[in-house]
Amino acid sequence: MARMSDGSGRRWPPAELWALSLGIVGFAAGFFGPIALNPDANQGPLLGIFVTGPGGLLGGFVLGALFRALPITNVRRVQALVTANAALLLGTLYLCLPQPAPYGLVIQGTLARCQSLEEVSPEAIPYWQDRIAAASWAKARDGWRGTAETQRNFASDDGASCAKYAAGLPTLFVRYRQSSAVWPPDDLPGLLNLARIERATEQYLTMTN
């Protein structure tokens, strides 16, 4: 039987090499994979630091000891080591891929009431004053009052006049993750505590099928 040895006739590769190679592959794939494939992921490189890196190291010791004990040639052991590294690499990269997530809400409705910004804006200042007073530990952004006081027009498909909106509405779309990065929000819908709504395009309608 053909054998690959280190010169002393021992079985090779040793368990330490299994642990080292799988640990490096697991760490590298778990560290750089989320950065390259899913940069918006919350865990980021922590996958490699706390999961796939240590997991590859421990799993390498176990697999190394197992294959060292099996009555197979050293060539087969090397092939098993390469296969294990490839499987760990591909499996970790697969876990790094972004998962499907809701993009928005497609709705159909009837217009029950229309309010102009002049009617809605005065309600925003007291609302956020109460929120800021309740959250004394959080610093409100500078000039937040001016958002509702200066932006009196809200861009929309049919203009800002209520008279232009019929009772029957087309299919509409509400996009998820519209929140502002500052607090109170610097966008008018967020400051008014409203969801921005838009006409549903063909692209959004096909997502629902």
PDB file of all heavy atoms in Angstrom, residues 4-30:
ATOM      1  N   MET A   4       2.308   7.955   2.611  1.00  0.00           N
ATOM      2  CA  MET A   4       3.017   9.230   2.688  1.00  0.00           C
ATOM      3  C   MET A   4       3.365   9.439   4.144  1.00  0.00           C
ATOM      4  O   MET A   4       2.487   9.438   5.003  1.00  0.00           O
ATOM      5  CB  MET A   4       2.130  10.373   2.191  1.00  0.00           C
ATOM      6  CG  MET A   4       2.796  11.732   2.245  1.00  0.00           C
ATOM      7  SD  MET A   4       1.672  13.047   1.753  1.00  0.00           S
ATOM      8  CE  MET A   4       1.311  12.560   0.078  1.00  0.00           C
ATOM      9  N   SER A   5       4.597   9.572   4.459  1.00  0.00           N
ATOM     10  CA  SER A   5       5.016   9.676   5.849  1.00  0.00           C
ATOM     11  C   SER A   5       6.000  10.819   5.993  1.00  0.00           C
ATOM     12  O   SER A   5       6.427  11.437   5.028  1.00  0.00           O
ATOM     13  CB  SER A   5       5.644   8.363   6.317  1.00  0.00           C
ATOM     14  OG  SER A   5       6.872   8.142   5.644  1.00  0.00           O
ATOM     15  N   ASP A   6       6.360  11.077   7.238  1.00  0.00           N
ATOM     16  CA  ASP A   6       7.317  12.138   7.536  1.00  0.00           C
ATOM     17  C   ASP A   6       8.739  11.596   7.619  1.00  0.00           C
ATOM     18  O   ASP A   6       9.628  12.247   8.144  1.00  0.00           O
ATOM     19  CB  ASP A   6       6.946  12.836   8.851  1.00  0.00           C
ATOM     20  CG  ASP A   6       6.884  11.855  10.003  1.00  0.00           C
ATOM     21  OD1 ASP A   6       7.202  10.658   9.791  1.00  0.00           O
ATOM     22  OD2 ASP A   6       6.517  12.273  11.110  1.00  0.00           O
ATOM     23  N   GLY A   7       8.954  10.379   7.123  1.00  0.00           N
ATOM     24  CA  GLY A   7      10.284   9.784   7.145  1.00  0.00           C
ATOM     25  C   GLY A   7      10.476   8.756   8.226  1.00  0.00           C
ATOM     26  O   GLY A   7      11.443   7.998   8.215  1.00  0.00           O
ATOM     27  N   SER A   8       9.560   8.694   9.188  1.00  0.00           N
ATOM     28  CA  SER A   8       9.687   7.732  10.283  1.00  0.00           C
ATOM     29  C   SER A   8       8.634   6.644  10.206  1.00  0.00           C
ATOM     30  O   SER A   8       8.548   5.827  11.125  1.00  0.00           O
ATOM     31  CB  SER A   8       9.594   8.471  11.625  1.00  0.00           C
ATOM     32  OG  SER A   8       8.335   9.111  11.720  1.00  0.00           O
ATOM     33  N   GLY A   9       7.830   6.628   9.127  1.00  0.00           N
ATOM     34  CA  GLY A   9       6.802   5.607   8.965  1.00  0.00           C
ATOM     35  C   GLY A   9       5.543   5.882   9.742  1.00  0.00           C
ATOM     36  O   GLY A   9       4.650   5.045   9.791  1.00  0.00           O
ATOM     37  N   ARG A  10       5.449   7.034  10.382  1.00  0.00           N
ATOM     38  CA  ARG A  10       4.254   7.345  11.147  1.00  0.00           C
ATOM     39  C   ARG A  10       3.113   7.760  10.222  1.00  0.00           C
ATOM     40  O   ARG A  10       3.335   8.198   9.103  1.00  0.00           O
ATOM     41  CB  ARG A  10       4.539   8.473  12.147  1.00  0.00           C
ATOM     42  CG  ARG A  10       5.507   8.067  13.249  1.00  0.00           C
ATOM     43  CD  ARG A  10       5.687   9.189  14.249  1.00  0.00           C
ATOM     44  NE  ARG A  10       6.229  10.387  13.624  1.00  0.00           N
ATOM     45  CZ  ARG A  10       6.457  11.533  14.255  1.00  0.00           C
ATOM     46  NH1 ARG A  10       6.156  11.623  15.550  1.00  0.00           N
ATOM     47  NH2 ARG A  10       6.968  12.563  13.635  1.00  0.00           N
ATOM     48  N   ARG A  11       1.913   7.661  10.766  1.00  0.00           N
ATOM     49  CA  ARG A  11       0.739   8.090  10.003  1.00  0.00           C
ATOM     50  C   ARG A  11       0.717   9.623   9.934  1.00  0.00           C
ATOM     51  O   ARG A  11       0.999  10.296  10.913  1.00  0.00           O
ATOM     52  CB  ARG A  11      -0.533   7.557  10.652  1.00  0.00           C
ATOM     53  CG  ARG A  11      -0.612   6.031  10.619  1.00  0.00           C
ATOM     54  CD  ARG A  11      -1.909   5.528  11.200  1.00  0.00           C
ATOM     55  NE  ARG A  11      -1.981   4.065  11.085  1.00  0.00           N
ATOM     56  CZ  ARG A  11      -3.038   3.349  11.422  1.00  0.00           C
ATOM     57  NH1 ARG A  11      -4.104   3.954  11.927  1.00  0.00           N
ATOM     58  NH2 ARG A  11      -3.031   2.042  11.270  1.00  0.00           N
ATOM     59  N   TRP A  12       0.344  10.100   8.783  1.00  0.00           N
ATOM     60  CA  TRP A  12       0.429  11.549   8.528  1.00  0.00           C
ATOM     61  C   TRP A  12      -0.762  11.964   7.671  1.00  0.00           C
ATOM     62  O   TRP A  12      -1.241  11.170   6.848  1.00  0.00           O
ATOM     63  CB  TRP A  12       1.743  11.813   7.772  1.00  0.00           C
ATOM     64  CG  TRP A  12       2.160  13.263   7.758  1.00  0.00           C
ATOM     65  CD1 TRP A  12       2.929  13.892   8.681  1.00  0.00           C
ATOM     66  CD2 TRP A  12       1.843  14.227   6.766  1.00  0.00           C
ATOM     67  NE1 TRP A  12       3.116  15.206   8.339  1.00  0.00           N
ATOM     68  CE2 TRP A  12       2.447  15.447   7.151  1.00  0.00           C
ATOM     69  CE3 TRP A  12       1.083  14.204   5.589  1.00  0.00           C
ATOM     70  CZ2 TRP A  12       2.328  16.615   6.416  1.00  0.00           C
ATOM     71  CZ3 TRP A  12       0.963  15.366   4.852  1.00  0.00           C
ATOM     72  CH2 TRP A  12       1.585  16.561   5.265  1.00  0.00           C
ATOM     73  N   PRO A  13      -1.310  13.149   7.825  1.00  0.00           N
ATOM     74  CA  PRO A  13      -0.881  14.264   8.687  1.00  0.00           C
ATOM     75  C   PRO A  13      -1.346  14.093  10.123  1.00  0.00           C
ATOM     76  O   PRO A  13      -2.353  13.445  10.375  1.00  0.00           O
ATOM     77  CB  PRO A  13      -1.546  15.475   8.037  1.00  0.00           C
ATOM     78  CG  PRO A  13      -2.750  14.938   7.372  1.00  0.00           C
ATOM     79  CD  PRO A  13      -2.395  13.557   6.907  1.00  0.00           C
ATOM     80  N   PRO A  14      -0.652  14.702  11.075  1.00  0.00           N
ATOM     81  CA  PRO A  14      -1.023  14.586  12.489  1.00  0.00           C
ATOM     82  C   PRO A  14      -2.266  15.404  12.809  1.00  0.00           C
ATOM     83  O   PRO A  14      -2.689  16.278  12.047  1.00  0.00           O
ATOM     84  CB  PRO A  14       0.205  15.145  13.220  1.00  0.00           C
ATOM     85  CG  PRO A  14       0.800  16.106  12.242  1.00  0.00           C
ATOM     86  CD  PRO A  14       0.557  15.513  10.880  1.00  0.00           C
ATOM     87  N   ALA A  15      -2.853  15.159  13.954  1.00  0.00           N
ATOM     88  CA  ALA A  15      -4.059  15.873  14.381  1.00  0.00           C
ATOM     89  C   ALA A  15      -3.790  17.367  14.545  1.00  0.00           C
ATOM     90  O   ALA A  15      -4.682  18.196  14.313  1.00  0.00           O
ATOM     91  CB  ALA A  15      -4.573  15.272  15.684  1.00  0.00           C
ATOM     92  N   GLU A  16      -2.574  17.713  14.926  1.00  0.00           N
ATOM     93  CA  GLU A  16      -2.252  19.133  15.092  1.00  0.00           C
ATOM     94  C   GLU A  16      -2.367  19.884  13.776  1.00  0.00           C
ATOM     95  O   GLU A  16      -2.807  21.043  13.744  1.00  0.00           O
ATOM     96  CB  GLU A  16      -0.838  19.289  15.658  1.00  0.00           C
ATOM     97  CG  GLU A  16      -0.662  18.805  17.081  1.00  0.00           C
ATOM     98  CD  GLU A  16      -0.498  17.298  17.179  1.00  0.00           C
ATOM     99  OE1 GLU A  16      -0.470  16.641  16.110  1.00  0.00           O
ATOM    100  OE2 GLU A  16      -0.383  16.785  18.306  1.00  0.00           O
ATOM    101  N   LEU A  17      -1.947  19.250  12.681  1.00  0.00           N
ATOM    102  CA  LEU A  17      -2.042  19.891  11.376  1.00  0.00           C
ATOM    103  C   LEU A  17      -3.494  20.041  10.943  1.00  0.00           C
ATOM    104  O   LEU A  17      -3.870  21.052  10.349  1.00  0.00           O
ATOM    105  CB  LEU A  17      -1.257  19.089  10.337  1.00  0.00           C
ATOM    106  CG  LEU A  17      -1.225  19.670   8.916  1.00  0.00           C
ATOM    107  CD1 LEU A  17      -0.629  21.076   8.930  1.00  0.00           C
ATOM    108  CD2 LEU A  17      -0.419  18.765   7.986  1.00  0.00           C
ATOM    109  N   TRP A  18      -4.307  19.016  11.237  1.00  0.00           N
ATOM    110  CA  TRP A  18      -5.744  19.128  10.974  1.00  0.00           C
ATOM    111  C   TRP A  18      -6.321  20.350  11.721  1.00  0.00           C
ATOM    112  O   TRP A  18      -7.053  21.158  11.142  1.00  0.00           O
ATOM    113  CB  TRP A  18      -6.454  17.862  11.436  1.00  0.00           C
ATOM    114  CG  TRP A  18      -6.406  16.719  10.474  1.00  0.00           C
ATOM    115  CD1 TRP A  18      -5.373  15.880  10.241  1.00  0.00           C
ATOM    116  CD2 TRP A  18      -7.490  16.290   9.628  1.00  0.00           C
ATOM    117  NE1 TRP A  18      -5.714  14.942   9.298  1.00  0.00           N
ATOM    118  CE2 TRP A  18      -7.009  15.168   8.903  1.00  0.00           C
ATOM    119  CE3 TRP A  18      -8.782  16.728   9.412  1.00  0.00           C
ATOM    120  CZ2 TRP A  18      -7.804  14.491   7.983  1.00  0.00           C
ATOM    121  CZ3 TRP A  18      -9.581  16.048   8.497  1.00  0.00           C
ATOM    122  CH2 TRP A  18      -9.094  14.947   7.792  1.00  0.00           C
ATOM    123  N   ALA A  19      -6.020  20.442  13.001  1.00  0.00           N
ATOM    124  CA  ALA A  19      -6.563  21.534  13.816  1.00  0.00           C
ATOM    125  C   ALA A  19      -6.083  22.884  13.301  1.00  0.00           C
ATOM    126  O   ALA A  19      -6.867  23.851  13.201  1.00  0.00           O
ATOM    127  CB  ALA A  19      -6.167  21.343  15.273  1.00  0.00           C
ATOM    128  N   LEU A  20      -4.812  22.979  12.957  1.00  0.00           N
ATOM    129  CA  LEU A  20      -4.261  24.256  12.492  1.00  0.00           C
ATOM    130  C   LEU A  20      -4.888  24.673  11.167  1.00  0.00           C
ATOM    131  O   LEU A  20      -5.315  25.824  11.001  1.00  0.00           O
ATOM    132  CB  LEU A  20      -2.750  24.139  12.351  1.00  0.00           C
ATOM    133  CG  LEU A  20      -2.020  25.401  11.879  1.00  0.00           C
ATOM    134  CD1 LEU A  20      -2.201  26.530  12.881  1.00  0.00           C
ATOM    135  CD2 LEU A  20      -0.535  25.112  11.652  1.00  0.00           C
ATOM    136  N   SER A  21      -4.983  23.753  10.224  1.00  0.00           N
ATOM    137  CA  SER A  21      -5.494  24.118   8.908  1.00  0.00           C
ATOM    138  C   SER A  21      -6.980  24.457   8.959  1.00  0.00           C
ATOM    139  O   SER A  21      -7.428  25.456   8.387  1.00  0.00           O
ATOM    140  CB  SER A  21      -5.245  22.982   7.913  1.00  0.00           C
ATOM    141  OG  SER A  21      -5.913  21.798   8.325  1.00  0.00           O
ATOM    142  N   LEU A  22      -7.768  23.628   9.649  1.00  0.00           N
ATOM    143  CA  LEU A  22      -9.205  23.919   9.741  1.00  0.00           C
ATOM    144  C   LEU A  22      -9.468  25.175  10.561  1.00  0.00           C
ATOM    145  O   LEU A  22     -10.406  25.927  10.274  1.00  0.00           O
ATOM    146  CB  LEU A  22      -9.938  22.726  10.346  1.00  0.00           C
ATOM    147  CG  LEU A  22     -10.079  21.508   9.433  1.00  0.00           C
ATOM    148  CD1 LEU A  22     -10.668  20.330  10.187  1.00  0.00           C
ATOM    149  CD2 LEU A  22     -10.934  21.840   8.226  1.00  0.00           C
ATOM    150  N   GLY A  23      -8.662  25.410  11.583  1.00  0.00           N
ATOM    151  CA  GLY A  23      -8.836  26.635  12.364  1.00  0.00           C
ATOM    152  C   GLY A  23      -8.553  27.876  11.540  1.00  0.00           C
ATOM    153  O   GLY A  23      -9.283  28.873  11.610  1.00  0.00           O
ATOM    154  N   ILE A  24      -7.493  27.834  10.730  1.00  0.00           N
ATOM    155  CA  ILE A  24      -7.156  28.994   9.885  1.00  0.00           C
ATOM    156  C   ILE A  24      -8.221  29.225   8.823  1.00  0.00           C
ATOM    157  O   ILE A  24      -8.656  30.352   8.592  1.00  0.00           O
ATOM    158  CB  ILE A  24      -5.767  28.789   9.249  1.00  0.00           C
ATOM    159  CG1 ILE A  24      -4.681  28.841  10.316  1.00  0.00           C
ATOM    160  CG2 ILE A  24      -5.515  29.840   8.172  1.00  0.00           C
ATOM    161  CD1 ILE A  24      -3.291  28.546   9.787  1.00  0.00           C
ATOM    162  N   VAL A  25      -8.643  28.144   8.169  1.00  0.00           N
ATOM    163  CA  VAL A  25      -9.664  28.279   7.129  1.00  0.00           C
ATOM    164  C   VAL A  25     -10.977  28.787   7.721  1.00  0.00           C
ATOM    165  O   VAL A  25     -11.632  29.683   7.172  1.00  0.00           O
ATOM    166  CB  VAL A  25      -9.873  26.933   6.405  1.00  0.00           C
ATOM    167  CG1 VAL A  25     -11.109  26.989   5.502  1.00  0.00           C
ATOM    168  CG2 VAL A  25      -8.644  26.581   5.583  1.00  0.00           C
ATOM    169  N   GLY A  26     -11.379  28.225   8.860  1.00  0.00           N
ATOM    170  CA  GLY A  26     -12.623  28.663   9.491  1.00  0.00           C
ATOM    171  C   GLY A  26     -12.566  30.114   9.921  1.00  0.00           C
ATOM    172  O   GLY A  26     -13.524  30.870   9.735  1.00  0.00           O
ATOM    173  N   PHE A  27     -11.429  30.513  10.499  1.00  0.00           N
ATOM    174  CA  PHE A  27     -11.296  31.910  10.927  1.00  0.00           C
ATOM    175  C   PHE A  27     -11.310  32.857   9.733  1.00  0.00           C
ATOM    176  O   PHE A  27     -12.007  33.875   9.741  1.00  0.00           O
ATOM    177  CB  PHE A  27     -10.001  32.093  11.719  1.00  0.00           C
ATOM    178  CG  PHE A  27      -9.695  33.526  12.042  1.00  0.00           C
ATOM    179  CD1 PHE A  27     -10.333  34.158  13.090  1.00  0.00           C
ATOM    180  CD2 PHE A  27      -8.781  34.247  11.282  1.00  0.00           C
ATOM    181  CE1 PHE A  27     -10.073  35.498  13.386  1.00  0.00           C
ATOM    182  CE2 PHE A  27      -8.505  35.577  11.563  1.00  0.00           C
ATOM    183  CZ  PHE A  27      -9.158  36.200  12.616  1.00  0.00           C
ATOM    184  N   ALA A  28     -10.528  32.541   8.702  1.00  0.00           N
ATOM    185  CA  ALA A  28     -10.441  33.433   7.543  1.00  0.00           C
ATOM    186  C   ALA A  28     -11.781  33.556   6.832  1.00  0.00           C
ATOM    187  O   ALA A  28     -12.209  34.661   6.465  1.00  0.00           O
ATOM    188  CB  ALA A  28      -9.363  32.924   6.580  1.00  0.00           C
ATOM    189  N   ALA A  29     -12.462  32.415   6.633  1.00  0.00           N
ATOM    190  CA  ALA A  29     -13.757  32.457   5.939  1.00  0.00           C
ATOM    191  C   ALA A  29     -14.801  33.193   6.770  1.00  0.00           C
ATOM    192  O   ALA A  29     -15.597  33.977   6.238  1.00  0.00           O
ATOM    193  CB  ALA A  29     -14.223  31.039   5.634  1.00  0.00           C
ATOM    194  N   GLY A  30     -14.817  32.961   8.082  1.00  0.00           N
ATOM    195  CA  GLY A  30     -15.787  33.631   8.944  1.00  0.00           C
ATOM    196  C   GLY A  30     -15.474  35.086   9.201  1.00  0.00           C
ATOM    197  O   GLY A  30     -16.364  35.869   9.536  1.00  0.00           O
TER     198      GLY A  30
END
